[in-house]
Amino acid sequence: MKKNSVIYLTFLVAIVFLFGNKFEIYAQETKEINTKSDFLNRLQFGGGLGLGIGNGYADIMVAPSAIYNFNSYVSAGLGVQYNYVKQRDLYKANMYGGSVIALFNPLEELQISTELEQLRVNRTFNDSFGNNSQDFWNTALFLGAGYRNENMTVGVRYNVLHKDRDNIYAEAFMPFVRIYF
């Protein structure tokens, strides 16, 4: 063995011995920071805002939500919703609740969704026969598909639990626009 090789090897062993603990601690700290940022990088926030105003009519909706991207194909999340609707001298409703959503992206441009929504509905009808109040839970199970372009999806969803009466949605099919940041 050459003398230069022995000196070089001894120098490397001395560096590892003297500074090895610092390198090890640094590596552990980096791993912990990467784990936290990895979770936050997979979390997306979005939701919906709605405002409809007309002659004696108001419809205000706020629905924030968040999803976690398990990988590039599967995401799941939670949402909350509040909706106020009023038609002067005819109808008034407060609706609030939550939802659980799962998103599947088999192709980059295609998004398939399933969403379970549970809303408490408090509504009052005013007509020539007097007031009629209703308080009930409305459950909806939406299956949907849409075209996805980066963080926005446009599509249609179908409520498989839709009933013509005692339901807050007029139709089983509903268009949607979904945006997550």
Side-chain angles (χ1 to χ4, degrees):
M1 190 185 270
K2 292 183 181 179
K3 187 175 180 181
N4 287 345
S5 299
V6 172
I7 291 171
Y8 182 71
L9 184 59
T10 306
F11 181 71
L12 284 176
V13 169
I15 289 175
V16 170
F17 179 77
L18 291 173
F19 300 103
N21 288 340
K22 290 184 182 178
F23 291 134
E24 195 173 301
I25 290 170
Y26 180 75
Q28 288 173 351
E29 288 176 340
T30 302
K31 186 175 181 182
E32 184 177 328
I33 290 169
N34 285 342
T35 303
K36 288 181 182 176
S37 65
D38 187 46
F39 175 79
L40 294 177
N41 286 336
R42 292 174 176 256
L43 195 60
Q44 290 184 285
F45 297 95
L49 295 172
L51 178 63
I53 299 175
N55 186 17
Y57 178 80
D59 184 349
I60 303 166
M61 188 265 302
V62 178
S65 63
I67 60 169
Y68 181 79
N69 297 305
F70 293 99
N71 55 43
S72 60
Y73 300 103
V74 178
S75 305
L78 301 171
V80 294
Q81 178 179 334
Y82 175 75
N83 197 351
Y84 173 80
V85 180
K86 182 175 182 178
Q87 176 71 42
R88 185 179 348 136
D89 300 327
L90 184 63
Y91 177 81
K92 180 176 149 182
N94 286 290
M95 297 167 273
Y96 51 91
S99 64
V100 177
I101 188 167
L103 305 173
F104 308 100
N105 303 301
L107 302 171
E108 189 174 334
E109 298 84 12
L110 176 65
Q111 185 174 85
I112 299 169
S113 62
T114 196
E115 183 175 6
L116 179 63
E117 177 185 86
Q118 182 74 45
L119 295 178
R120 181 66 180 175
V121 179
N122 302 318
R123 63 185 179 184
T124 304
F125 296 95
N126 298 319
D127 56 21
S128 59
F129 300 109
N131 291 346
N132 179 16
S133 294
Q134 297 176 331
D135 294 319
F136 61 94
W137 286 99
N138 185 76
T139 303
L141 177 60
F142 295 104
L143 302 178
Y147 172 76
R148 186 175 83 146
N149 187 3
E150 295 184 19
N151 62 341
M152 185 170 93
T153 305
V154 177
V156 65
R157 61 187 191 165
Y158 178 77
N159 182 0
V160 297
L161 302 177
H162 179 78
K163 298 176 186 170
D164 286 333
R165 58 182 173 83
D166 292 335
N167 202 310
I168 59 171
Y169 300 112
E171 299 291 329
F173 280 100
M174 296 177 62
F176 69 84
V177 175
R178 187 178 294 132
I179 301 175
Y180 284 103
F181 300 98

